Amino acid sequence: MMNCLNSWKPGAAMIAVNFAFAVANILFKMVLNRGVNQLVLTTYRQSISAIFLVPIGCGMERKSYKKLTAFTFCALFFSGLIGGALTLNLFLIGLKYTSTSFACAFINIVPINTFLLALLFRQERINMKCKSGKAKVLGTLICLIGAIVLTLYKGKPLTNNASSQGVEAHHNTKSWVLGSLFLFAGSLSWSSWFIIQGRVGSDYPYQYSSTSIMSFFGAIQSATFCFIIDRNKSIWRLKGSLEIWTIIYSGIVGSSICYVVMSWCVKQKGPVFTSTFSPFIQIFAIVLDVSILHEQIHIGSILGSILVIVGLYVLLWGKSKEVQVCKTAPTPNKDAQTVLPVTNTPSRT
């Protein structure tokens, strides 16, 4: 009974994380529509995350800072740059030009990008002689086709909300494609974070301390980008309670608790498993998007999302079959191990 509950913990945790991300995305879309700068949002969000986690890390992981090596410190710097400053800003720019549900559809591409990067860094292997290897290749191709459909085909709206016509006027074809490119770049950046975090988690298994350091670096990097691009001090002034509560929620929940939980899941199950729950963000976002923001849902978004999700779970099926083969295969010596899914071994990710 306890083993069954423990096996469900990572999956349940990732579903909760994705719901929290969907709420944060809705709030971000609302404040972006009010003209708040995305770099300012990222800086405040990462700063609150660092302030929230530092005392927790010091209290629960006192010995962790003594084990912080120069290599881990540099890895956390790049983790903050890629997973904090770069990913958040690219995603927020894409969200500004599109809608919340459409932006969340691109998060579904994260597992495929993670898988391809894991192949590049030899954290994943493909054996084309078995069904699992063919399934992983097929799933990747289907997801890539879905990403192309999402970017290039918008289609007719499936909803007919009168209040959404004003919002729709801002989403012309040019801005939609431009936003898609930023969203794709953001998903690629987030996939890179999963790979880096897999290595950080094995060398420095302290979720609170590593996330606080990463958030600290992300805040400094975002502030630096903001001062370089726009030196107008007035953009740092928050004008309403919605902006304040959005930053507090996204900092404490989105960048603190959620990243700690994701780091734990990467350590337990690997980066590919952790990223495969990303379609739940879109499911939650569609419900919130239509009911709160009254955004229109287009047929291109639904068609592309279906292709991406189908490809994603074909890939996931291939990985599950690969794990079963590895568990049942005899291993008298190292040469007998022909397939080794490294990402499912926490100590190797």
Side-chain angles (χ1 to χ4, degrees):
M1 185 69 176
M2 290 300 298
N3 291 333
C4 182
L5 290 175
N6 290 332
S7 64
W8 278 94
K9 282 182 180 180
M14 285 308 303
I15 292 175
V17 164
N18 289 322
F19 177 77
F21 277 144
V23 174
N25 291 335
I26 290 292
L27 292 173
F28 273 134
K29 181 62 177 178
M30 294 172 69
V31 298
L32 286 172
N33 289 341
R34 295 189 176 191
V36 180
N37 187 287
Q38 68 272 357
L39 286 168
V40 172
L41 286 175
T42 305
T43 303
Y44 281 138
R45 172 177 175 169
Q46 296 292 80
S47 300
I48 291 176
S49 173
I51 294 171
F52 177 76
L53 286 175
V54 163
I56 299 176
C58 292
M60 299 181 65
E61 302 168 343
R62 294 179 181 179
K63 298 180 180 180
S64 63
Y65 295 102
K66 296 180 180 179
K67 299 180 180 180
L68 187 62
T69 63
F71 177 82
T72 305
F73 191 80
C74 292
L76 288 172
F77 175 85
F78 285 105
S79 183
L81 175 64
I82 295 174
L86 194 59
T87 297
L88 289 175
N89 283 299
L90 288 172
F91 182 80
L92 287 176
I93 294 173
L95 179 63
K96 186 177 181 179
Y97 286 112
T98 58
S99 66
T100 310
S101 57
F102 181 81
C104 291
F106 269 82
I107 300 177
N108 297 334
I109 306 173
V110 172
I112 301 301
N113 293 335
T114 306
F115 172 69
L116 293 175
L117 289 173
L119 280 178
L120 181 63
F121 290 100
R122 297 185 179 181
Q123 293 184 2
E124 281 281 343
R125 296 181 184 179
I126 293 180
N127 186 354
M128 292 300 295
K129 295 181 181 180
C130 60
K131 291 182 180 180
S132 61
K134 295 177 182 178
K136 290 196 291 186
V137 173
L138 178 62
T140 302
L141 292 176
I142 294 174
C143 275
L144 291 177
I145 294 173
I148 294 173
V149 172
L150 280 170
T151 304
L152 300 180
Y153 178 63
K154 189 174 181 181
K156 297 180 180 180
L158 298 178
T159 57
N160 190 21
N161 296 325
S163 58
S164 65
Q165 294 178 358
V167 177
E168 186 68 18
H170 296 286
H171 298 330
N172 55 52
T173 304
K174 184 177 180 179
S175 65
W176 203 265
V177 174
L178 182 62
S180 300
L181 295 176
F182 278 106
L183 291 171
F184 183 80
S187 67
L188 183 62
S189 178
W190 199 8
S191 299
S192 303
W193 178 84
F194 278 109
I195 300 298
I196 296 174
Q197 192 61 33
R199 179 62 185 273
V200 172
S202 61
D203 294 339
Y204 190 71
Y206 304 101
Q207 284 84 26
Y208 295 104
S209 300
S210 63
T211 306
S212 63
I213 297 171
M214 184 192 73
S215 298
F216 173 74
F217 283 135
I220 294 176
Q221 292 155 355
S222 296
T224 303
F225 292 152
C226 190
F227 281 119
I228 293 174
I229 296 173
D230 191 347
R231 298 186 179 182
N232 185 5
K233 296 180 180 180
S234 62
I235 63 175
W236 294 92
R237 189 180 301 113
L238 300 177
K239 300 178 181 179
S241 59
L242 177 63
E243 288 86 346
I244 295 173
W245 285 111
T246 297
I247 290 171
I248 293 174
Y249 173 84
S250 62
I252 295 177
V253 179
S255 289
S256 297
I257 298 174
C258 288
Y259 271 73
V260 168
V261 173
M262 284 194 301
S263 298
W264 176 79
C265 289
V266 169
K267 180 183 175 183
Q268 296 294 318
K269 293 291 187 177
V272 175
F273 172 89
T274 305
S275 61
T276 51
F277 285 84
S278 57
F280 282 97
I281 300 181
Q282 186 184 11
I283 296 172
F284 295 135
I286 288 175
V287 176
L288 297 173
D289 207 8
V290 174
S291 59
I292 297 177
L293 297 182
H294 306 291
E295 292 270 10
Q296 289 187 344
I297 309 299
H298 293 82
I299 189 171
S301 300
I302 298 297
L303 180 60
S305 299
I306 291 173
L307 288 172
V308 169
I309 293 174
V310 168
L312 171 63
Y313 286 103
V314 170
L315 169 65
L316 187 62
W317 179 86
K319 281 192 63 63
S320 64
K321 287 294 182 181
E322 189 177 61
V323 172
Q324 292 177 7
V325 170
C326 289
K327 287 182 178 179
T328 57
T331 56
N333 54 57
K334 293 183 179 180
D335 295 333
Q337 297 179 2
T338 56
V339 180
L340 181 61
V342 182
T343 53
N344 283 336
T345 305
S347 60
R348 298 290 184 185
T349 54

